[in-house]
Amino acid sequence: MNYLFDRRGFLKKSSLAAIVATLGSEIVFAENLPKNYIPIGFGEKDALKGKNTNLIVQGDRPWNVEAPLDLLDDRITPVDKMFIRNNGLIPETIDVKTWTLTIDGESVKAPKTYTLDDLKKKFKHYTYQLTLECGGNGRSGYLPAASGNQWGQGAVHCSEWTGVRLKDILADVGVKSDAVYIGYHGKDLHLSKDPKKEAISRGVPIAKAMEDETLIAWQLNGKDIPEFHGFPLRLVIGGWPASVSGKWLSGISVRNKVHDGAKMEGHSYKMPKSPVAPGTEIPTTDEFYRIIESMPVKSMITFPKTGASISSNDTLPLRGHAWAGDFSVKKVEVSIDFGATWLDCKLEAPANRLAWQHWNTNIKFPVKGYYEVWVRATDEKGVAQPMVIPAWNPGGYLNNACERIAVKVG
């Protein structure tokens, strides 16, 4: 169970017995505790119960948490190291027995509602490794600062999801020829707790919805999806901003127009159609913005962590991951001379489409001193990561500049 607090230390969801169990001790004079009050010894790290204690908390209302890059060394990201990007509050009550998914919208022939058992029994199950990355991953690199959480580079993961294909469910309800988009609906609460407001309701074009890898999932890494990540049901769409992968999923609307739900407005998850000078304010209309779709080519170094120190006689092993939205990565290179020359790395094929790819190499340094190791990925279309921060944008999206680590050779 997850434990959630507000800034004053009041309980949102749990019980006195659960608190006692976590503290490992009886609370003396517990009968005098103010209603819904949390003991001071029950801190914020307990709120992220089950998560690695080295995760970086960007915000707690809603929860926004990222991983230092060295924590992302696993080939398949474990739950305790997965980033969290919530837009609202976790549902106050979750009853698996009564949970349903409704498929409706202007472009559905026969709207239907499915229970979890219906989904599991009626449709074939699939498992895919899928890369999910926040559209604002790397936002902290932009100057002047763009709006939103100032993510480093750790708002990304590639985990294993199990469920049914959305395309199979849509075939069951029937989709009209005028279908343009799908939009999801979840049971997360708006921060205001106004039941009439959705915290987030985004979507994708119908072609993306119909891809084999677009899942309605109930398992993550072989177990029930944890509460933080959308239990009991989640839409999972790899390669695009993770905001299109709706948590606590209760509905899918098939639209005859671009979905117009919460976080589809303004400059949310959108890029200027033309470059703008840093700090420029531009009108938030479709004339000036495009919706972010496939994420750009990107890579990371997960071993060693920055600040590594080695002997001048040693060889440094390097490894990490690379991904490119809807596309595959064809080449990963590293440089130790600030991009003057590049060395090809060994690059593995993805486990399946939309999974990240693992790379590795070994480096020998010519002389003692300070070095920076840079990594650069190139996708199947020949598009390579830029060495410097890409064009500034008001939302601070799509920073895919080369990642680097510091190494001291002595």
Side-chain angles (χ1 to χ4, degrees):
M1 184 176 188
N2 294 313
Y3 303 92
L4 306 178
F5 320 93
D6 65 20
R7 295 183 184 275
R8 296 172 297 168
F10 289 92
L11 189 64
K12 293 181 186 174
K13 180 177 183 179
S14 190
S15 67
L16 186 59
I19 294 174
V20 168
T22 302
L23 287 173
S25 177
E26 290 295 325
I27 302 173
V28 182
F29 301 123
E31 68 274 12
N32 298 328
L33 268 174
K35 186 178 180 181
N36 293 331
Y37 190 76
I38 291 180
I40 193 171
F42 198 73
E44 184 179 273
K45 289 299 181 184
D46 294 307
L48 292 172
K49 191 173 179 67
K51 285 292 185 179
N52 189 292
T53 56
N54 291 319
L55 292 177
I56 302 164
V57 177
Q58 294 282 355
D60 62 358
R61 185 179 169 86
W63 284 105
N64 290 280
V65 182
E66 69 172 302
L69 294 191
D70 61 290
L71 279 190
L72 296 175
D73 196 39
D74 300 271
R75 297 172 73 85
I76 298 175
T77 312
V79 169
D80 71 310
K81 299 174 183 177
M82 291 172 63
F83 82 93
I84 302 170
R85 170 55 172 123
N86 289 344
N87 285 269
L89 306 174
I90 293 175
E92 293 181 345
T93 58
I94 296 175
D95 187 345
V96 175
K97 293 180 181 178
T98 60
W99 197 276
T100 59
L101 175 68
T102 297
I103 311 295
D104 59 15
E106 305 96 334
S107 297
V108 161
K109 293 180 180 179
K112 290 185 181 181
T113 296
Y114 303 88
T115 65
L116 291 179
D117 279 347
D118 290 338
L119 294 174
K120 293 176 181 179
K121 293 176 181 178
K122 187 177 180 67
F123 303 102
K124 183 179 178 180
H125 300 183
Y126 293 85
T127 297
Y128 296 111
Q129 293 177 30
L130 298 170
T131 306
L132 300 188
E133 180 182 13
C134 179
N137 196 27
R139 181 179 286 131
S140 62
Y142 287 107
L143 291 174
S147 60
N149 294 296
Q150 296 302 301
W151 298 108
Q153 294 289 351
V156 61
H157 54 64
C158 184
S159 300
E160 193 171 76
W161 300 88
T162 298
V164 297
R165 299 187 304 192
L166 177 57
K167 66 185 289 185
D168 294 340
I169 300 174
L170 295 182
D172 190 54
V173 298
V175 174
K176 297 178 182 178
S177 60
D178 64 352
V180 171
Y181 231 81
I182 64 104
Y184 67 74
H185 307 281
K187 290 192 176 181
D188 43 338
L189 303 174
H190 191 273
L191 293 178
S192 67
K193 292 194 173 181
D194 183 343
K196 296 180 181 179
K197 294 182 178 179
E198 287 188 290
I200 184 169
S201 175
R202 303 202 66 234
V204 296
I206 194 69
K208 183 67 176 175
M210 291 292 193
E211 289 183 351
D212 287 349
E213 300 84 5
T214 297
L215 294 180
I216 303 296
W218 55 78
Q219 278 195 343
L220 171 58
N221 293 346
K223 297 181 179 180
D224 288 345
I225 298 174
E227 214 171 43
F228 269 126
H229 296 285
F231 177 79
L233 202 63
R234 181 174 182 175
L235 175 64
V236 186
I237 301 178
W240 287 34
S243 57
V244 301
S245 295
K247 301 178 181 180
W248 307 288
L249 186 69
S250 61
I252 296 283
S253 296
V254 183
R255 311 298 309 274
N256 59 7
K257 60 181 181 180
V258 174
H259 185 55
D260 52 3
K263 302 293 183 179
M264 292 290 291
E265 72 279 5
H267 66 66
S268 293
Y269 305 101
K270 295 178 183 178
M271 289 287 287
K273 291 182 178 179
S274 301
V276 298
T280 302
E281 291 187 16
I282 57 177
T284 54
T285 64
D286 292 345
E287 179 184 354
F288 296 95
Y289 282 96
R290 63 173 178 84
I291 298 171
I292 297 170
E293 295 187 345
S294 178
M295 294 291 284
V297 62
K298 202 166 183 178
S299 59
M300 66 167 70
I301 300 170
T302 59
F303 182 86
K305 65 190 299 184
T306 190
S309 181
I310 67 169
S311 167
S312 58
N313 297 320
D314 290 342
T315 298
L316 180 68
L318 292 164
R319 62 178 178 264
H321 316 295
W323 60 99
D326 282 335
F327 307 101
S328 62
V329 175
K330 288 302 181 185
K331 180 169 64 175
V332 172
E333 307 162 283
V334 294
S335 174
I336 63 171
D337 54 12
F338 302 101
T341 60
W342 294 88
L343 172 70
D344 283 344
C345 302
K346 179 183 177 181
L347 177 65
E348 299 180 26
N352 52 256
R353 182 173 174 270
L354 307 182
W356 65 18
Q357 297 168 241
H358 316 297
W359 64 267
N360 69 83
T361 192
N362 295 287
I363 295 289
K364 186 75 175 178
F365 297 90
V367 296
K368 296 179 180 180
Y370 171 85
Y371 293 85
E372 289 187 5
V373 179
W374 294 55
V375 62
R376 179 175 69 182
T378 302
D379 71 19
E380 63 183 277
K381 300 185 299 177
V383 177
Q385 290 180 257
M387 285 188 61
V388 297
I389 305 293
W392 185 91
N393 63 91
Y397 296 119
L398 306 189
N399 176 6
N400 69 328
C402 291
E403 187 58 38
R404 55 188 175 143
I405 63 168
V407 177
K408 184 178 181 181
V409 180

